[in-house]
Amino acid sequence: MPTTVTKPPADAVPPPPKRTRGPKSARAGGQLHAGPIAYVILALFTVGSLFPLVWSAIAASRDNSRLAQSPPPFWFGSGLLDKLEVAWKDANLGEAFLNTTLVAGISAVTIVVLSTVAGFAFAKLRFRGRGALMLIVIGTMMVPPQLSVIPLYMMVAKLDWTDQLQAVIFPSLVSAFGVFFMRQYLLQALPDEIIEAARVDGASSWRVVWHVVFPAARPAMAVLGMLTFVQTWNDFLWPFLVLTQMGNPTVQVAIAGLGRGYTPDQSLIMAGALLGTLPLLLVFAIFGKQIVGGIMQGAVKG
């Protein structure tokens, strides 16, 4: 009996080929896992970043004679708490912490607010001379700050602000970098359609800034505030010129007065430097997650 072979229709679609399941990290939506080399590199960078802080604590727990020996000590001694107590009292660090927190806090808040408003104006508003004014703002960033020390000190002396905190606060209320930073962020993170919609709803310029610009710029504002706070906290040259250790010192001015004498006490200086660094570590430990999250949120928006 002859066999009949049935042919498939011409318009039949062949079945799709079977997909081979790859590793979990290669699938869409899968989580990437770092290899051992990545962990080794991260561990090396972590150790290198923590070494200055650990060495400061080790040096603060020893005395000058032990620090002068070779090889230097690589483990803690027994005098750390005593040196920290002496540095706290001799440098008047309690008042210095309050003064520096006040100066850094005011500078950070004013720079963030003014830079956000100015950055929004340069990024989204149309007015005559906008490009020229932005070039002038960028040009001020190229001037070394040391050139302004003498005229600024003459102005402070004429106002009789020497050894007063306003001599440090007022010169740091604005930042050209902050204006440029916020302008670049708002160019990408704030669509023009949102501003136009707010205008159609009858919102004024200040209402647009408060209800539209500030929420959209919150990630960049957090980053700029943190950078400004750290920079102001670590500022040394200008506070050292207009403030004294016995008057209204900041942390850096107070630490500069430690260990003075024919033979400076290096362990006491290291103890003061360690105390001056701990508040910054505490601030970043508390707000670091929010700041990193703000950076990632801004990156997704851009």
Side-chain angles (χ1 to χ4, degrees):
M1 184 175 179
T3 58
T4 60
V5 179
T6 59
K7 295 183 179 181
D11 56 349
V13 179
K18 293 184 178 181
R19 297 181 180 179
T20 58
R21 303 186 72 179
K24 183 179 179 181
S25 60
R27 280 183 253 158
Q31 184 178 4
L32 297 177
H33 297 276
I37 298 179
Y39 283 107
V40 171
I41 295 175
L42 290 175
L44 292 176
F45 273 98
T46 302
V47 171
S49 301
L50 292 177
F51 178 76
L53 184 65
V54 175
W55 168 248
S56 298
I58 293 175
S61 64
R62 301 286 183 164
D63 53 13
N64 275 1
S65 59
R66 182 63 184 92
L67 293 177
Q69 295 178 5
S70 182
F74 289 101
W75 193 245
F76 299 94
S78 58
L80 178 59
L81 295 179
D82 295 336
K83 287 298 178 66
L84 292 177
E85 183 180 0
V86 172
W88 180 272
K89 293 180 179 179
D90 288 358
N92 196 16
L93 285 178
E95 182 181 358
F97 279 154
L98 293 177
N99 292 339
T100 310
T101 303
L102 180 64
V103 172
I106 294 176
S107 298
V109 171
T110 54
I111 284 178
V112 167
V113 173
L114 296 179
S115 297
T116 304
V117 175
F120 164 69
F122 281 117
K124 297 300 179 179
L125 300 184
R126 301 292 182 266
F127 55 91
R128 184 176 300 178
R130 184 183 64 167
L133 289 176
M134 192 64 218
L135 288 177
I136 293 175
V137 172
I138 297 176
T140 58
M141 298 170 56
M142 304 177 185
V143 180
Q146 293 80 5
L147 294 180
S148 62
V149 167
I150 295 178
L152 190 58
Y153 187 85
M154 295 173 61
M155 185 182 302
V156 168
K158 183 174 293 187
L159 294 173
D160 199 17
W161 284 358
T162 55
D163 205 12
Q164 298 183 28
L165 292 181
Q166 56 262 35
V168 182
I169 295 176
F170 275 87
S172 61
L173 292 181
V174 293
S175 171
F177 169 77
V179 175
F180 177 76
F181 178 79
M182 295 306 302
R183 173 188 178 272
Q184 296 301 112
Y185 179 83
L186 291 173
L187 279 175
Q188 301 294 330
L190 184 61
D192 295 336
E193 291 77 9
I194 298 180
I195 302 176
E196 294 175 359
R199 295 289 191 186
V200 171
D201 291 340
S204 61
S205 298
W206 288 111
R207 192 170 183 180
V208 170
V209 170
W210 184 260
H211 293 283
V212 177
V213 178
F214 282 169
R218 191 175 300 166
M221 293 171 69
V223 175
L224 180 60
M226 183 66 183
L227 294 176
T228 304
F229 188 89
V230 173
Q231 180 184 0
T232 308
W233 186 280
N234 293 326
D235 193 13
F236 173 74
L237 177 60
W238 178 245
F240 183 74
L241 293 176
V242 295
L243 301 178
T244 61
Q245 185 183 12
M246 302 306 297
N248 290 308
T250 59
V251 170
Q252 308 305 324
V253 176
I255 294 175
L258 285 174
R260 289 181 176 178
Y262 184 76
T263 303
D265 191 346
Q266 299 294 337
S267 60
L268 190 61
I269 296 174
M270 288 296 181
L274 183 63
L275 287 173
T277 307
L278 290 179
L280 293 180
L281 298 177
L282 182 62
V283 169
F284 190 80
I286 296 175
F287 301 104
K289 186 176 181 180
Q290 288 80 1
I291 293 172
V292 174
I295 296 175
M296 298 305 298
Q297 182 182 356
V300 173
K301 283 184 178 181

